[in-house]
Amino acid sequence: EKIKKSIFPFYRSSKIKKIFSILNSKNKKQAMFVGGCVRKHILNEEIDDIDIATVLTPNEIIKTFQNSDVEVKKTGVEHGTLTLIFEGQKFEITTLRQDILTDGRHANIKFTENWDEDSKRRDFTINAIYLDQKGKFYDPQSGVKDLKDNKVQFIGDPDKRIKEDYLRILRFLRFSLQYGSFDINDNTKKAIKFNLNGITKLSKERIYGEL
């Protein structure tokens, strides 16, 4: 299986090639993979969900696929997220964005075409690794090194990241357990302890899903 994944990585599948041939028809860097599928690709793990980041706005994405056999669903359009369905496979695609204002649960966003700005608003360095359609990494937050070193680290100030979305406390613990990352720095420990009550602001469904 490891040999197979190294010779035939997920991004070489015919379905993904089709999606990216449409997305990047005008510019080779209009879309890249991000998140869990990139982490799992690096670690040679089974890939189930595929997330794509793009400079295209939701309306531009809809227009781009309107004459194709790819179905587009407005699953989270208010946050810049759509779902592409092609031959039974789902792809979640989200426009690059900046979080302008947050309340610990929801965020007011602004779309951007800047990959660095999009990476800065993500939670952990290991979730801000981008991968293009040819298998080349773009890693502005040094997430590849952290992933290989089994380190789960917030991007920037842990207190600020947590206050943006208190679910990140549970996500931090989940990823730490998953990757055996128990060497937690003091700033992160303090931020988690200080913001624990913020979890009460989250819906039971979000907490249950993370657990």
Short mmCIF file of all heavy atoms in Angstrom, two decimals, residues 6 9 20-21 34 47 78 104 107 110 133 137 146 150 174 178 189 197 202:
data_model
loop_
_atom_site.label_atom_id
_atom_site.label_comp_id
_atom_site.label_asym_id
_atom_site.label_seq_id
_atom_site.Cartn_x
_atom_site.Cartn_y
_atom_site.Cartn_z
N SER A 6 3.00 5.92 -2.98
CA SER A 6 4.14 6.74 -3.40
C SER A 6 4.22 6.84 -4.92
O SER A 6 4.63 7.87 -5.47
CB SER A 6 5.44 6.18 -2.83
OG SER A 6 5.71 4.90 -3.36
N PRO A 9 0.09 8.69 -6.09
CA PRO A 9 -0.51 9.52 -5.03
C PRO A 9 -1.92 9.94 -5.39
O PRO A 9 -2.31 9.95 -6.56
CB PRO A 9 0.43 10.72 -4.94
CG PRO A 9 1.13 10.76 -6.26
CD PRO A 9 1.25 9.35 -6.71
N PHE A 20 -9.13 19.66 -11.22
CA PHE A 20 -8.08 20.68 -11.26
C PHE A 20 -7.84 21.22 -12.67
O PHE A 20 -7.41 22.36 -12.83
CB PHE A 20 -6.79 20.13 -10.66
CG PHE A 20 -6.69 20.35 -9.17
CD1 PHE A 20 -7.41 19.55 -8.31
CD2 PHE A 20 -5.91 21.36 -8.64
CE1 PHE A 20 -7.35 19.74 -6.94
CE2 PHE A 20 -5.84 21.58 -7.28
CZ PHE A 20 -6.58 20.76 -6.42
N SER A 21 -8.12 20.43 -13.68
CA SER A 21 -7.98 20.93 -15.05
C SER A 21 -8.98 22.06 -15.30
O SER A 21 -8.70 23.00 -16.05
CB SER A 21 -8.19 19.81 -16.06
OG SER A 21 -9.53 19.35 -16.05
N VAL A 34 -5.42 21.30 0.76
CA VAL A 34 -5.04 21.81 2.08
C VAL A 34 -5.69 20.92 3.15
O VAL A 34 -6.66 20.21 2.88
CB VAL A 34 -5.47 23.29 2.25
CG1 VAL A 34 -6.99 23.39 2.40
CG2 VAL A 34 -4.76 23.95 3.42
N ILE A 47 -6.55 8.40 2.72
CA ILE A 47 -7.18 9.71 2.53
C ILE A 47 -8.67 9.50 2.25
O ILE A 47 -9.05 8.80 1.32
CB ILE A 47 -6.52 10.48 1.38
CG1 ILE A 47 -5.07 10.82 1.76
CG2 ILE A 47 -7.30 11.75 1.05
CD1 ILE A 47 -4.24 11.37 0.63
N GLU A 78 -21.83 30.98 2.81
CA GLU A 78 -21.63 32.20 3.60
C GLU A 78 -20.21 32.28 4.14
O GLU A 78 -19.72 33.36 4.49
CB GLU A 78 -22.65 32.28 4.74
CG GLU A 78 -22.49 31.24 5.82
CD GLU A 78 -23.18 29.92 5.48
OE1 GLU A 78 -23.64 29.76 4.34
OE2 GLU A 78 -23.25 29.05 6.37
N GLY A 104 -15.67 33.65 19.03
CA GLY A 104 -15.41 32.37 19.66
C GLY A 104 -16.23 31.24 19.08
O GLY A 104 -16.02 30.07 19.39
N ALA A 107 -17.34 33.64 12.56
CA ALA A 107 -16.38 34.64 12.07
C ALA A 107 -16.97 35.42 10.91
O ALA A 107 -17.68 34.87 10.06
CB ALA A 107 -15.09 33.94 11.63
N LYS A 110 -13.41 37.92 5.05
CA LYS A 110 -13.17 38.68 3.84
C LYS A 110 -12.36 37.79 2.91
O LYS A 110 -11.36 37.20 3.32
CB LYS A 110 -12.40 39.97 4.15
CG LYS A 110 -12.11 40.82 2.91
CD LYS A 110 -11.40 42.12 3.27
CE LYS A 110 -9.94 41.88 3.59
NZ LYS A 110 -9.17 43.13 3.76
N GLN A 133 -1.37 20.59 -7.72
CA GLN A 133 -1.83 19.43 -8.48
C GLN A 133 -0.68 18.56 -8.98
O GLN A 133 -0.89 17.42 -9.41
CB GLN A 133 -2.67 19.89 -9.66
CG GLN A 133 -1.90 20.68 -10.71
CD GLN A 133 -2.80 21.25 -11.79
OE1 GLN A 133 -3.06 22.42 -11.83
NE2 GLN A 133 -3.30 20.39 -12.65
N PHE A 137 4.75 21.18 -2.52
CA PHE A 137 4.23 21.79 -1.30
C PHE A 137 4.44 23.30 -1.28
O PHE A 137 5.43 23.81 -1.79
CB PHE A 137 4.92 21.21 -0.06
CG PHE A 137 4.62 19.75 0.18
CD1 PHE A 137 5.59 18.79 -0.02
CD2 PHE A 137 3.37 19.35 0.63
CE1 PHE A 137 5.32 17.45 0.19
CE2 PHE A 137 3.08 18.02 0.84
CZ PHE A 137 4.07 17.06 0.63
N ASP A 146 6.87 20.34 11.46
CA ASP A 146 6.14 20.05 12.70
C ASP A 146 5.44 18.70 12.61
O ASP A 146 5.42 17.94 13.58
CB ASP A 146 5.12 21.16 12.99
CG ASP A 146 5.78 22.43 13.50
OD1 ASP A 146 6.94 22.36 13.94
OD2 ASP A 146 5.12 23.48 13.47
N ASN A 150 6.14 15.39 14.92
CA ASN A 150 5.00 15.13 15.81
C ASN A 150 4.73 16.30 16.75
O ASN A 150 4.51 16.12 17.95
CB ASN A 150 5.22 13.85 16.63
CG ASN A 150 5.16 12.60 15.77
OD1 ASN A 150 4.49 12.59 14.75
ND2 ASN A 150 5.87 11.57 16.17
N ARG A 174 -7.15 16.67 20.51
CA ARG A 174 -7.32 15.52 19.61
C ARG A 174 -6.09 15.28 18.76
O ARG A 174 -5.59 14.15 18.66
CB ARG A 174 -8.55 15.73 18.71
CG ARG A 174 -8.68 14.64 17.64
CD ARG A 174 -10.05 14.64 17.01
NE ARG A 174 -10.31 15.82 16.19
CZ ARG A 174 -9.95 15.92 14.91
NH1 ARG A 174 -9.26 14.96 14.32
NH2 ARG A 174 -10.27 17.01 14.21
N GLN A 178 -3.48 12.18 18.72
CA GLN A 178 -3.32 11.46 17.46
C GLN A 178 -1.85 11.35 17.06
O GLN A 178 -1.40 10.30 16.58
CB GLN A 178 -4.11 12.17 16.37
CG GLN A 178 -4.06 11.48 15.01
CD GLN A 178 -4.92 12.20 13.99
OE1 GLN A 178 -5.73 13.05 14.32
NE2 GLN A 178 -4.74 11.85 12.72
N LYS A 189 -0.22 26.00 27.13
CA LYS A 189 -0.90 25.50 28.33
C LYS A 189 -1.70 26.60 29.01
O LYS A 189 -2.85 26.41 29.40
CB LYS A 189 0.15 24.95 29.31
CG LYS A 189 0.78 23.64 28.89
CD LYS A 189 1.81 23.21 29.94
CE LYS A 189 2.55 21.96 29.50
NZ LYS A 189 3.60 21.56 30.46
N ASN A 197 -13.44 27.91 29.80
CA ASN A 197 -14.87 28.21 29.91
C ASN A 197 -15.50 28.55 28.57
O ASN A 197 -16.72 28.49 28.41
CB ASN A 197 -15.11 29.36 30.89
CG ASN A 197 -14.96 28.91 32.33
OD1 ASN A 197 -15.02 27.72 32.61
ND2 ASN A 197 -14.74 29.85 33.23
N LEU A 202 -19.94 26.71 22.85
CA LEU A 202 -20.08 25.88 21.66
C LEU A 202 -21.34 25.04 21.73
O LEU A 202 -21.82 24.70 22.81
CB LEU A 202 -18.86 24.96 21.53
CG LEU A 202 -17.48 25.63 21.46
CD1 LEU A 202 -16.39 24.58 21.56
CD2 LEU A 202 -17.34 26.43 20.18
#
